[in-house]
Amino acid sequence: MSELDNLYREVIMDHYKSPRNKGLVEDAEYKLFRIKNPSCGDDITIQTKVENGIVTDCRQIGHGCSISMASASVLTEIMIGKTLEEAKNIADNYLNMVSNKEFDTELDLEEAAVFSGVRQFPARIKCASIAWVAFKDTIKGDSNE
Amino acid sequence: MMKNPYSKDFPQLNNGSVYLDTAATSLKPNSVIEAVNHYNRDLSSNIHRGMYEAAVETTELYESTRETVAKFLHAKTDEIIYTRGTTSSLNLVAYAYGLENLKAGDEIIVSELEHHSSFLPWQFVAKKTGAILKFVELNEEGRITVEAFKKVLSTKTKVVALTYVSNVMGYITPMKEIISLSHQYNAICVVDAAQAVQHIEIDVTALDCDFLAFSGHKMLGPTGIGILYGKQKLLNIMEPFEYGGDMNDDVNKDISEWKTGPQKFEAGTMPIASVIGLQKAIEYIENIGLSTISEYIDKLQRYALAQLKQIEGVKIYNPTSETGIITFNIETVPSHDAISFLAEKNIAIRAGQHCAKLICDWLGIYSCLRASIYIYNSYTDVDIFIEGIKEAVAYFKKLGF
């Protein structure tokens, strides 16, 4: 498998073509965070609802490359149902994995594990990270819009 | 296919890559590299200060570069200011001229073709002074025309800040007519020549522009050096933009005096090695001649466009561009996916918004691919690029994009 094929894995293409939890909801209980990358034109918004310490919903909307779109979609599926502690731990380890830093290889990153191919493409680390960074801001309780 | 006679002068081409990203930054010829190395290796010393041999030679090289630039632009030596790059040059004009001379209700003409460095300083000046930004309406191709310019020009116009060549569309602005019209209304013209100076002959005296800015690194020179040309009478009425060493004539506790001429705007130690390298870059371009350069680029660009047009699924945004810049997308494939594929093939082009979001908005796209051709590129480079695009189209189609 070439490095490029390792980047464009089936799971990633599936999420890119059929994005999950797409579209925002009008509900003040959600925290919303939007991040833009002006150099490439990526623009992603993550919206999260936390009840009693558990992520009960996670939504996404935006536009950008396949890696950024798919990583937002995968993120939302993984995070729904997680405790805040689990969510933060998975997000931190995922972000370390894609940026080629040390991460807990024992931790189950679920479908997000397919983004390990990004490590071979330093220029795409930002693409794979943007939604996850926005998510972390939402569970901190921040909203930027 | 004939061999490119210039490529041997550009050692970076030995890495086997196809370099089609000159609009971002150009490659450097050996003469430029050697001049920069000569300063760093043999001459390191400051200018206008030391009496020892290296300092004297350095000052001579530094000031003779100013003469080279002045001749290149048909300007007076005292009208050439060294800066960090086009961005610094344009900010200098916005701060030192714009903020001081504009007031509420005055108008600044810009366009959606502007690079952020030719737009944001004036958006800032407008906000600070209460002046109003007016946009020249682009024609259906995305060009600035004299007709459209006339519609926004008025007695309220005080500054016209336009790009000479668009870094996304590659179009040449009819600058001479625009400047002449602007002067009838007593407006000053600030020309962003970052993408023009390496393609077309610029005679600031004939053009009659008030300010003109460009960078060394897009015209075969080093990074960190830019030029601001300014008419002497305007430079004389402007306050310094930065204060510090070497820009003053006399310093006292109560009042100090500034140098006259360009040195007033060159505070602190300037990028001396880069200045010296710029001289060699200009000499390299002059030895070939800008008309030879543009004719060659034009041939290569037409060769590339003819083939790119044939590829199904490719959308070209500027098929009539005249300066080696080809902007396009593989439809259905985001530009950052496409360049990852090309990067794997060692083909260097650029993807994104190119620091010019307003023209992306105008085109109705989030981002695009840009290939830019220069004198060291060959027909083989174009063939490899076209083959790369064909393969990319097939690859992403198979993936389901």
Side-chain angles (χ1 to χ4, degrees), chain B residues 199 290-306 319-326 373-375 379:
Chain B
H199 289 284
L290 276 164
S291 55
T292 305
I293 291 174
S294 57
E295 273 168 39
Y296 178 73
I297 291 169
D298 190 49
K299 269 194 271 180
L300 213 50
Q301 182 177 7
R302 276 188 279 134
Y303 178 71
L305 275 172
T320 61
S321 142
E322 53 268 78
T323 50
I325 293 175
I326 302 173
I373 295 166
Y374 205 58
I375 190 73
Y379 284 85

Side-chain angles (χ1 to χ4, degrees), chain A residues 20-70:
Chain A
R20 324 291 203 268
N21 302 305
K22 190 174 174 174
L24 305 180
V25 291
E26 293 270 343
D27 184 339
E29 288 191 17
Y30 282 75
K31 298 292 178 192
L32 176 151
F33 217 88
R34 179 176 184 181
I35 299 185
K36 294 182 194 183
N37 181 351
S39 75
C40 63
D42 281 359
D43 180 350
I44 290 184
T45 303
I46 300 294
Q47 201 185 27
T48 304
K49 188 177 187 181
V50 178
E51 290 169 293
N52 304 319
I54 291 170
V55 178
T56 54
D57 197 13
C58 187
R59 320 278 315 162
Q60 54 90 13
I61 191 88
H63 56 79
C65 68
S66 61
I67 302 302
S68 65
M69 294 291 96

Side-chain angles (χ1 to χ4, degrees), chain A residues 4-5 8 38 40 63 66 124, chain B residues 336-337 340-341 353 366 395 400:
Chain A
L4 212 59
D5 294 334
Y8 293 108
C40 63
H63 56 79
S66 61
R124 303 300 292 277
Chain B
H336 269 74
D337 289 303
S340 285
F341 184 91
Q353 297 180 336
Y366 296 122
Y395 181 80

Side-chain angles (χ1 to χ4, degrees), chain B residues 87 111 152 157 217 224-225 244 274 278 304 338:
Chain B
T87 301
S111 85
V152 285
T157 310
H217 75 96
I225 175 66
S274 297
L278 178 64

